[in-house]
């Protein structure tokens, strides 16, 4: 076994050790940012703040819970997070080994770039390319989730890419600047707003109304402005730009005619069925 394979196996073991320990997943990333967070101190400015806030929301919601516990977690959310942890941990192990390797996964190279030159842009490329890679490897698991959860996966992704667009110098709307800085507290604030990020897993009826943009109240109106006016009209362009920033061409398959279509499955039929089912269930949600 060569040195790279040894490091890969070590990274897998580290992630597996915390697989059924949501707080352990958080702690793994917290320890990473203590070393590579660019003056990171919890509660203050640091390049790990937004990621850690999002993991805290995942823990609170219960998506990272063990599968066989009293309140089972989500196979999809767990898989995406585990893959993310693996890629970042592998990059850390490579950096600390002092070795250099060719043909590394794209996100690992981005994490190495971030570790060597920590700034907002290098962080977004490392973080987002890892998330996109997680979406790709967990595609089939997405079908184990409800139609509403699948639609929310798309919302999470396009909001994340929209925030990155502000750092990359592409303007899709002024409000995105509020959410763009990974050092700030915007993610901690917005994940506490139920209209934007549900706090139940599986989703409650109210969660579903927000996710499907059918909540007829003030926060639902704010959500509509953010998603429907600022992001969705530019979705194809956003994903095309993000595919280049993150060297992730798979993104081009996650949107069509400015509509998000993840998961993509194995055929166009899956995409058509997804949109048809979502529309039908939206109507039923309104009736209820």
């Amino acid at each position: 076994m060569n040195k790279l394979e040894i490091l890969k196996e070590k990274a897998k073991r580290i992630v597996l050790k915390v697989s059924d320990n949501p707080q352990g997943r958080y702690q793994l990333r917290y320890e990473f940012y203590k070393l590579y967070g660019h003056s990171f101190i919890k509660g203050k400015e640091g390049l790990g703040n937004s990621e850690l806030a999002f993991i805290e929301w995942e823990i609170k919601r219960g998506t990272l819970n063990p599968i066989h516990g009293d309140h089972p977690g989500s196979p999809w959310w767990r898989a995406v997070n585990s893959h993310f942890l693996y890629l970042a941990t592998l990059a850390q192990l490579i950096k600390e080994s002092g070795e250099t390797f060719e043909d590394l996964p794209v996100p690992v190279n981005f994490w190495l770039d971030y570790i060597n030159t920590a700034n907002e842009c290098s962080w977004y490329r490392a973080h987002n390319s890892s998330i996109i890679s997680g979406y790709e490897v967990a595609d089939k698991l997405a079908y184990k989730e409800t139609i509403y959860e699948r639609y929310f996966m798309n919302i999470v992704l396009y909001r994340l890419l929209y925030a990155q667009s502000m750092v990359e110098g592409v303007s899709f709307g002024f409000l995105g600047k509020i959410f763009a800085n990974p050092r700030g507290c915007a993610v901690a604030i917005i994940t506490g707003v139920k209209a934007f990020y549900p706090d139940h897993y599986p989703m409650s009826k109210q969660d579903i109304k927000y996710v499907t943009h059918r909540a007829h109240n003030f926060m639902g109106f704010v959500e509509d402005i953010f998603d429907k006016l600022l992001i969705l009209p530019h979705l194809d362009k956003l994903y095309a730009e993000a595919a280049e920033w993150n060297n992730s061409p798979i993104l081009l398959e996650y949107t069509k005619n400015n509509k998000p279509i993840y998961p993509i499955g194995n055929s166009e039929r899956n995409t058509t069925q997804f949109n048809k089912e979502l529309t039908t269930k939206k109507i039923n949600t309104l009736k209820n």
Side-chain angles (χ1 to χ4, degrees):
M1 186 179 293
N2 62 37
K3 291 182 178 179
L4 179 57
E5 290 302 316
I6 292 173
L7 294 178
K8 286 180 177 180
E9 288 303 314
K10 184 176 181 179
K12 290 176 183 177
R13 289 196 301 272
I14 291 172
V15 175
L16 182 62
K17 187 176 180 179
V18 299
S19 177
D20 286 334
N21 180 358
Q23 197 59 43
R25 291 173 182 256
Y26 176 93
Q27 193 64 29
L28 187 60
R29 296 307 291 151
Y30 181 80
E31 295 299 327
F32 174 88
Y33 284 114
K34 282 174 65 177
L35 294 172
Y36 306 112
H38 195 56
S39 301
F40 169 76
I41 302 176
K42 184 171 174 58
K44 297 185 178 181
E45 295 290 296
L47 284 167
N49 283 359
S50 61
E51 180 190 322
L52 292 174
F54 193 84
I55 296 176
E56 286 181 324
W57 167 78
E58 290 180 286
I59 293 172
K60 179 181 178 182
R61 190 177 176 225
T63 58
L64 301 182
N65 287 350
I67 294 297
H68 302 295
D70 293 335
H71 300 283
S74 158
W76 184 87
W77 284 91
R78 284 168 49 89
V80 173
N81 180 262
S82 291
H83 188 66
F84 179 96
L85 295 179
Y86 166 73
L87 293 168
T89 300
L90 177 57
Q92 180 178 351
L93 293 176
I94 290 172
K95 174 64 178 180
E96 294 172 355
S97 75
E99 301 282 349
T100 58
F101 302 98
E102 297 182 354
D103 300 323
L104 293 172
V106 167
V108 173
N109 279 324
F110 275 131
W111 279 116
L112 289 170
D113 290 343
Y114 165 78
I115 291 171
N116 292 326
T117 309
N119 56 50
E120 287 82 356
C121 185
S122 63
W123 180 84
Y124 264 111
R125 294 186 179 197
H127 180 276
N128 287 11
S129 64
S130 299
I131 293 296
I132 295 164
S133 182
Y135 270 61
E136 183 174 9
V137 301
D139 185 273
K140 291 182 180 179
L141 286 175
Y143 290 98
K144 295 180 179 295
E145 306 286 346
T146 68
I147 189 69
Y148 308 115
E149 196 70 37
R150 278 183 268 159
Y151 190 65
F152 182 60
M153 296 169 190
N154 286 276
I155 293 174
V156 170
L157 183 59
Y158 67 59
R159 288 175 181 168
L160 181 62
L161 298 177
Y162 179 78
Q164 183 181 10
S165 74
M166 300 298 106
V167 171
E168 296 286 351
V170 178
S171 177
F172 289 96
F174 71 94
L175 285 182
K177 295 179 181 179
I178 298 173
F179 306 100
N181 190 346
R183 300 172 183 273
C185 60
V187 172
I189 293 172
I190 196 172
T191 51
V193 179
K194 296 179 182 180
F196 281 84
Y197 290 89
D199 56 2
H200 302 92
Y201 181 82
M203 292 182 189
S204 68
K205 289 184 178 181
Q206 187 62 37
D207 292 334
I208 291 170
K209 287 182 179 180
Y210 280 124
V211 165
T212 57
H213 293 278
R214 301 292 175 174
H216 302 299
N217 55 32
F218 176 74
M219 288 311 302
F221 175 70
V222 173
E223 184 193 25
D224 285 350
I225 291 176
F226 188 73
D227 286 344
K228 290 186 175 183
L229 297 184
L230 298 181
I231 303 180
L232 290 174
H234 313 285
L235 200 65
D236 289 349
K237 180 181 178 182
L238 174 62
Y239 278 37
E241 295 278 1
E244 293 189 12
W245 304 328
N246 302 299
N247 194 9
S248 303
I250 188 66
L251 267 181
L252 300 176
E253 299 183 37
Y254 293 165
T255 180
K256 183 176 181 181
N257 298 326
N258 290 322
K259 292 183 179 180
I261 56 174
Y262 179 87
I264 56 176
N266 298 313
S267 69
E268 181 71 19
R269 185 192 65 79
N270 288 332
T271 298
T272 302
Q273 182 63 27
F274 174 83
N275 289 325
K276 183 184 295 185
E277 185 178 355
L278 180 63
T279 300
T280 300
K281 288 183 177 290
K282 276 184 179 180
I283 294 172
N284 290 336
T285 300
L286 274 177
K287 291 178 179 179
N288 295 329

